Amino acid sequence: MRLHVGCAMWTYAPWQGRLIPHPLPPSERLRAYASWCNAVEGNTTFYATPAVTTVESWAAQTAEDFRFVVKLPKTATHEQRLRGVDLQPFFTAMEPLGPRNHAFWIQLPASFAPADLGVLATFLYRLPRGYRYAVEVRHPSFFDDERSAAQLEHVLDRVGAEWIPFDTVTLFRTPASSYAERDAWMKKPRVLRRTRALTATPIVRYIGRDDPQLTMAGWDYLVKAVVNWLAEGRSPTVFLHTPDNVDALTLARRFYSDVTAVVPNLEPLPEPLPVAPPTLF
């Protein structure tokens, strides 16, 4: 019974010197992040497949029970739209992660509709076994139409894949009050909330507000869902986002603390590395 929490990145300028020691060489930045959280979204792989030596560095900086949810390249998901895809070089590059590679994350564009489910089914069926896969859809029909949702669940269930919901309900609950929130309103999907787990390892992406109090007020439902999943023997992963992500690290730990208040036998998170006070020289 494990809960993992994390953020959308492991290096972010507003954290440096405030939450994360600064300066740090690239070979130490993930290690510092991993003292705060025990999971991270692998967004960088969406844009390019990293060198094996880079992935080896990621593994060296994290414990074996740290979780990466690594995004498939956009060339496969958005440009080729799952057709004629050769992912073997990508899978080979990810091998150094070993058990840290929790799941391969298949983020699909908003234009990927229920009519495309046959393509997704074929793609998933042809993927190599031995890995976990998780799919994120953004087309409104998958959330508004029960038949479309059931069809997607059937496709995922055939291969044991999870559905990653991107929960933006808190983000859109009240009008945007900052530039980052207005930008998120323009870019993020406005869809209904999902709390149904398909596998033993559910994954949720929760996006709140720049005001930490509003973010925390909106996640009560998710704390309850996670507590229920843990009671069922599942091992969930929750990623905390805010439009500006300035407080995402502390919010991730606060979410873990809120779950621990109900499930006190959870293993504690690591102790964050100390941040040295600024000096004059």
Side-chain angles (χ1 to χ4, degrees):
M1 185 175 66
R2 295 294 305 274
L3 168 63
H4 285 70
V5 295
C7 302
M9 73 288 283
W10 64 74
T11 180
Y12 188 44
W15 300 344
Q16 296 172 4
R18 183 171 71 96
L19 302 173
I20 299 289
H22 181 72
L24 285 176
S27 59
E28 293 294 326
R29 292 171 187 170
L30 177 53
R31 190 186 311 278
Y33 167 91
S35 73
W36 279 83
C37 297
N38 56 5
V40 72
E41 293 186 4
N43 282 297
T44 58
T45 57
F46 183 69
Y47 302 100
T49 298
V52 171
T53 53
T54 298
V55 182
E56 288 173 345
S57 173
W58 297 350
Q61 295 179 66
T62 52
E64 284 196 354
D65 61 352
F66 187 90
R67 286 183 177 176
F68 289 84
V69 181
V70 179
K71 217 182 252 192
L72 263 59
K74 66 177 181 178
T75 52
T77 56
H78 286 57
E79 296 172 15
Q80 295 177 258
R81 295 178 66 89
L82 309 183
R83 292 179 170 90
V85 174
D86 177 15
L87 286 170
Q88 191 52 55
F90 176 76
F91 290 133
T92 299
M94 294 300 111
E95 284 180 0
L97 290 181
R100 301 166 187 80
N101 183 17
H102 179 62
F104 284 117
W105 168 14
I106 305 163
Q107 179 183 299
L108 297 173
S111 59
F112 197 94
D116 300 306
L117 282 176
V119 177
L120 175 62
T122 300
F123 176 77
L124 291 172
Y125 183 77
R126 291 176 176 173
L127 288 174
R129 303 278 70 87
Y131 300 116
R132 292 191 188 96
Y133 299 99
V135 175
E136 179 189 328
V137 292
R138 298 194 173 194
H139 195 283
S141 293
F142 290 117
F143 301 86
D144 299 341
D145 179 56
E146 291 184 6
R147 183 170 179 269
S148 296
Q151 289 174 335
L152 174 57
E153 288 186 1
H154 176 70
V155 168
L156 299 177
D157 187 59
R158 288 182 61 194
V159 294
E162 187 55 81
W163 179 343
I164 304 180
F166 193 24
D167 182 358
T168 57
V169 172
T170 298
L171 172 67
F172 289 111
R173 181 163 287 149
T174 55
S177 59
S178 68
Y179 173 81
E181 289 184 354
R182 288 191 291 273
D183 186 59
W185 267 49
M186 295 177 64
K187 295 178 179 177
K188 306 302 182 187
R190 188 187 297 226
V191 294
L192 297 177
R193 180 170 280 161
R194 272 186 54 86
T195 55
R196 174 175 163 81
L198 303 183
T199 70
T201 54
I203 303 169
V204 177
R205 305 177 74 204
Y206 171 85
I207 180 166
R209 303 295 293 266
D210 289 339
D211 182 340
Q213 295 301 320
L214 294 177
T215 299
M216 292 186 286
W219 73 34
D220 285 350
Y221 88 95
L222 188 53
V223 170
K224 293 174 183 176
V226 166
V227 168
N228 290 335
W229 288 335
L230 291 168
E232 294 167 354
R234 303 181 196 266
S235 181
T237 303
V238 175
F239 292 115
L240 271 298
H241 298 233
T242 67
D244 63 13
N245 281 312
V246 169
D247 296 305
L249 275 178
T250 54
L251 285 167
R253 290 182 71 92
R254 175 59 187 266
F255 181 85
Y256 197 95
S257 176
D258 282 5
V259 175
T260 304
V262 185
V263 188
N265 58 333
L266 284 177
E267 184 175 334
L269 289 171
E271 194 65 29
L273 293 178
V275 180
T279 63
L280 294 177
F281 304 100

